[in-house]
Amino acid sequence: QVQLVESGGGLVQAGGSLRLSCAASGRTFSTYTMGWFRQAPGKEREFVAAISWSGDNTYYADSVKGRFTISRDTAKNTVYLQMNSLKPEDTAVYYCAADPSSLILRTGRGRSWGQGTQVTVSS
């Protein structure tokens, strides 16, 4: 089991940037696909981005392509989400997730989840 703790959320103006971090504990971090999801008030949780265990493969929701970048630092057991050109519709609680399977993680059924960090984008 991998334990996950997110940080880096906050309030930012539209057009601004934030970088979220997800610190993972557990010796199997390097073999897990990692991802980010978000949930806005009154909406279902949705997939944002994912990165394979090797870092060779990345996946993005269409709504964030070209604006968000996911990366991982295996030495630090940390995955990042760099968010640029933020829009008010990006406002949500962002969750980090992990699973040995990329497919399972990207469908929202990941084995491990963090507690979430709030991102608010003002217009």
Side-chain angles (χ1 to χ4, degrees):
Q1 190 79 359
V2 176
Q3 288 76 46
L4 306 171
V5 178
E6 304 97 332
S7 62
L11 173 64
V12 64
Q13 288 188 332
S17 298
L18 280 175
R19 188 177 80 157
L20 305 183
S21 299
C22 174
S25 61
R27 291 180 295 174
T28 57
F29 170 79
S30 62
T31 65
Y32 274 49
T33 292
M34 303 294 296
W36 290 93
F37 287 75
R38 66 188 181 186
Q39 187 167 20
K43 295 188 176 181
E44 293 187 354
R45 185 172 60 192
E46 65 175 359
F47 170 75
V48 175
I51 185 166
S52 63
W53 67 270
S54 66
D56 290 342
N57 297 304
T58 56
Y59 311 86
Y60 296 94
D62 288 343
S63 59
V64 306
K65 278 181 182 176
R67 300 188 299 123
F68 291 10
T69 303
I70 189 170
S71 61
R72 66 190 297 163
D73 185 334
T74 301
K76 296 182 178 180
N77 276 13
T78 301
V79 64
Y80 303 98
L81 185 68
Q82 178 67 43
M83 305 186 295
N84 298 328
S85 302
L86 283 161
K87 305 175 181 180
E89 51 263 44
D90 293 318
T91 295
V93 177
Y94 283 70
Y95 298 91
C96 181
D99 198 275
S101 166
S102 172
L103 179 60
I104 288 176
L105 181 135
R106 286 183 283 134
T107 57
R109 295 176 290 130
R111 184 175 299 184
S112 300
W113 293 84
Q115 82 290 350
T117 185
Q118 176 70 46
V119 171
T120 303
V121 184
S122 63
S123 58

